[in-house]
Amino acid sequence: QVQLVESGGGLVQAGGSLRLSCAASGSIFSINTMGWYRQAPGKQRELVAAITSGGNSDRINYVDSVKGRFTISRGNAKNTVYLQMNSLKPEDTAVYYCNADALSSIDLHRGTYWGQGTQVTVSS
């Protein structure tokens, strides 16, 4: 069983910043990929940013609308992921969800896990 706990959402004015955090815990052997998704009212959930650890470097991708403004990173223990959000716009308003692909430390089976979501509201 893997649990993801998110924090850092809130209300901010346009142009402001927020930093989202997500910590994974439970019976984890490894977490290869962690990411952030968001869902605005009436829209599909979309990938915002993801980071995959492997070899000597991490692979990172962002949705085009946040490139240059958002930065995703992993903690030293690799069970945490952060999303630094700068120059926030009203269109960034959404519920943001943490996601992780993890291998169980019990049987090494892969599972996909989601946090409960944290609300980000950007006022104009």
Side-chain angles (χ1 to χ4, degrees):
Q1 186 83 348
V2 176
Q3 298 84 39
L4 303 178
V5 179
E6 302 148 319
S7 62
L11 175 65
V12 66
Q13 294 185 49
S17 298
L18 287 172
R19 190 187 192 217
L20 305 184
S21 300
C22 174
S25 62
S27 301
I28 302 169
F29 177 77
S30 65
I31 300 175
N32 189 39
T33 300
M34 298 189 77
W36 291 95
Y37 291 70
R38 67 185 180 188
Q39 187 166 22
K43 294 186 176 181
Q44 290 184 279
R45 186 175 298 187
E46 67 172 349
L47 175 68
V48 179
I51 181 167
T52 300
S53 299
N56 296 321
S57 62
D58 296 328
R59 300 191 304 277
I60 297 173
N61 62 286
Y62 300 95
V63 66
D64 286 345
S65 60
V66 309
K67 289 180 179 178
R69 299 188 296 120
F70 291 10
T71 303
I72 189 170
S73 61
R74 294 280 289 272
N76 291 337
K78 304 299 182 183
N79 66 338
T80 56
V81 64
Y82 306 95
L83 186 68
Q84 179 66 46
M85 304 186 293
N86 298 325
S87 301
L88 282 162
K89 304 175 181 180
E91 51 263 44
D92 295 318
T93 296
V95 178
Y96 284 70
Y97 298 90
C98 181
N99 169 269
D101 288 339
L103 295 180
S104 169
S105 61
I106 303 301
D107 56 15
L108 299 182
H109 285 182
R110 177 184 177 273
T112 300
Y113 301 91
W114 294 90
Q116 293 296 110
T118 184
Q119 177 71 48
V120 171
T121 302
V122 184
S123 64
S124 59

